[in-house]
Amino acid sequence: MEQQTRERLADRLPPWARGRPWRRIAAAAAVIVLVLVLAVSCLGSGGGRADVPVLADGPDAGVEGVRSPSDERGGTLRVVAPTVDSLDPQRSYLPGVWNLMRLYTRTLVTFSSEPGATGELVPDLATDLGTVSEDGLSWTYTLREGVRFENGRPITSGDVKYGIARSFASDVIVGGPTYLVNLLDDPANPYPGPYSTEEDDPVLTSIETPDDRTIIFRLRAPQPDLPYVLALPSSSPVPAEADTRGDYGADPVSSGPYAITSVDPETGIVLEPNPEWDPATDDVRTALPDRVEVRTGLSGLARDQALLAGSADLDISGTGVQAATTARLSGDDVALLDRVDDVTTGAVRLLALPTDVAPMDDPACRAAVAAAVDRRAVQSALGGAVDAVRSSQLWPRALAGGPEVTEAGPDPGAARSALEECGRPDGFSTVLAVPDVRSSVDVADEIAGQLGAVGIEVEVRPLDPATFYATDVGNPDNVARSGYGLVLATRTADFPTAGSFLEPLVAGRSIARVGNPNYARLDDPEINALVDQARAGDADWAQVAEAARASGAYVPLAETRIQLVSGQRLRNGVVMRPYDGYDVATAGVR
């Protein structure tokens, strides 16, 4: 296992390090590490010692199992994080923050904490996963008895409705998900949220609360993934009497095992036990530590060093270790290797070929591009096997039931034949739009070279990452006007379901004027019909994926991999797949 880990990590080393002895590489990496030691030692009050006994169980122990299992209570769990967007459950849109919110927010349903099953839903505030009507338009939930806020007041169905209603106030509650707004609101008579005082404002009739323990959602259209939407913190209860509108994140009221007691830009966030939380009503959270401290705003290297030095127990960023840390992981320290969990994230890099931009409006021209692509070379450009796994299907590897994976190498002969078929035997010219991020531009340059070998001349055009998905490639008119015949994008599903991954990419109804997720502008009647059948349970999502791939509108390339490093004191390290980090809700410390 140690040798396999070294081989994987070797591919991630910078060019100067490849092929050199591990001891020399580790020594060079130590120079980088040393620069950070003094700064990290001053962060927070946790201190931390490099000689703390290591409690790991070997590489990848937390991916399908539990790293250092224990039911020991007490101690302070020390968490490191990048910048937190908001502690208001209706305003955060960062998966790492959603992981943290498992400590102080509860929802009707939530992600399981069981090892190897963290992508599955389990009841939380509700007694079950909900009852859906035959037409798929109505979902009913019943709240558990005995659940209370930190102030001792019982949590009611009205509190859940109020929390969700806050998201409708788009002028006040900004930044968070709006899935339920789209599923529940009436476009002809939109609900303005709970803060409006106009007498003729519509009410939120699509959520009914016939009593304190019953809540009914009435959708505008069937959505099988509704329970996953309800698992987001944006669906958590908020007591109306404690709502401070845009300032609610400064002191959110807890419904979970911990309550936020301090928020400071310098010292971070402190959470302490919520005395009103009853473990008998919660099958998910273990609440082992006496205290949780979160140091926020740290760079990736600072977070890595805190973990390596023993001053942090886990990182909630979901990005894994940084490239500069890789050499340290690849050294001779077997105990350190034992603390690494290798995670395939579900983020799929792909080429989109807009079907309304010539010559990609011709399926044969799209086939020429697909035949020329060398995924092994793309994988190398992404950093090798540690950073990416090759992908030939529009399907994340962690999802079951996908189409058969077929490893197809580049076929220049087939590419040239396809060019003949599309009437461009000498090739053609096009523009490849790419976020102006080094790793993405490296991949774009590699693909441009591959296509150039068969006569397809590609201009790589790096674009501002801040506007890339929203307006550059997210605006169909801009794509057509700019002649973007190729778009290098990354698709990450909002929920761990096939429908969540595929429908925005391939359904014609997903095409939008701003923030368009259907990068290829694929609007094929047969594929649209398959999507509808899959939503209704009358077809397999794998059929949708295969049909979309066969259209040539998308060329899947690779899926991102990251390495998580557990802190030296961490116990119960379970990799939470939806958040690409260790589950904060069950973590303990030595």
Side-chain angles (χ1 to χ4, degrees), residues 390-425:
R390 296 187 301 278
S391 178
S392 60
Q393 295 289 356
L394 287 171
W395 197 277
R397 292 167 64 92
L399 290 181
E404 181 180 353
V405 175
T406 55
E407 181 66 34
D411 189 340
R416 294 189 178 93
S417 295
L419 288 173
E420 291 273 0
E421 184 180 346
C422 78
R424 298 172 182 265

Side-chain angles (χ1 to χ4, degrees), residues 35 173 186 291 305 371 450:
V35 173
I173 306 302
D186 179 0
R291 177 183 172 100
Q305 181 53 27
Q450 296 171 9

Side-chain angles (χ1 to χ4, degrees), residues 428-449:
F428 55 83
S429 299
T430 192
V431 179
L432 170 51
V434 59
D436 193 6
V437 177
R438 180 176 177 180
S439 60
S440 295
V441 173
D442 287 348
V443 171
D445 289 339
E446 173 61 38
I447 290 173

Side-chain angles (χ1 to χ4, degrees), residues 174-206:
V174 296
T178 58
Y179 299 108
L180 284 175
V181 175
N182 299 328
L183 290 170
L184 298 171
D185 208 9
D186 179 0
N189 195 24
Y191 170 64
Y195 309 131
S196 179
T197 58
E198 297 295 328
E199 292 184 1
D200 58 349
D201 279 340
V203 296
L204 188 56
T205 58
S206 53

